[in-house]
Amino acid sequence: VCVCLCVFSLAFLFWLLLVQVVILYHDWMPPMYLHLQPEMEYLEEWHANMTQALSPAIVSKTDGVFNPACFIHTSFSSSAPTINGYTYISAFNEWYTKGTPLSLTDDCGVMCNPTCPT
């Protein structure tokens, strides 16, 4: 007899479409090349892969996602970046306190959110 126990857990994912530290220091892409065509193609493919990896949470009826198209690592603040008027703090608060499933992901392309800190 096999008894299987399942644990159900809600998740709020806060993930960048392009993580600066990974691109620059793990993938060894020099900043001066970021806007050249081969590098942009690589970043676009990275963006597509990240979007696909997050897709189960993005379409979830219970989980939350805050996924800005920023090229940053730790420069988030209580006011930026925003998606549809939400910061990561207000999005998490809405999801956690009200149970609102939020799927906030930029669909404008690579490094395109104008509210991203520089």
Side-chain angles (χ1 to χ4, degrees), residues 43-90:
L43 295 176
E44 288 166 0
E45 186 173 336
W46 179 285
H47 174 281
N49 290 339
M50 286 305 303
T51 302
Q52 182 179 7
L54 292 171
S55 65
I58 290 171
V59 300
S60 170
K61 302 289 187 223
T62 56
D63 295 332
V65 177
F66 187 84
N67 186 225
C70 297
F71 190 67
I72 57 177
H73 182 59
T74 58
S75 56
F76 291 91
S77 73
S78 60
S79 60
T82 63
I83 303 173
N84 297 338
Y86 285 95
T87 64
Y88 75 99
I89 295 170
S90 62

Side-chain angles (χ1 to χ4, degrees), residues 24 29-36 39 71:
L24 297 181
M29 183 182 294
M32 65 195 127
Y33 298 129
L34 284 176
H35 297 287
L36 298 178
E39 286 75 9
F71 190 67

Side-chain angles (χ1 to χ4, degrees), residues 106-117:
D106 279 329
D107 59 2
C108 53
V110 177
M111 299 184 287
C112 58
N113 184 318
T115 67
C116 295

Side-chain angles (χ1 to χ4, degrees), residues 8-28:
F8 177 75
S9 178
L10 301 175
F12 188 89
L13 303 177
F14 172 62
W15 196 259
L16 296 164
L17 287 170
L18 294 172
V19 181
Q20 185 180 42
V21 73
V22 172
I23 300 295
L24 297 181
Y25 306 113
H26 295 287
D27 289 351
W28 300 101

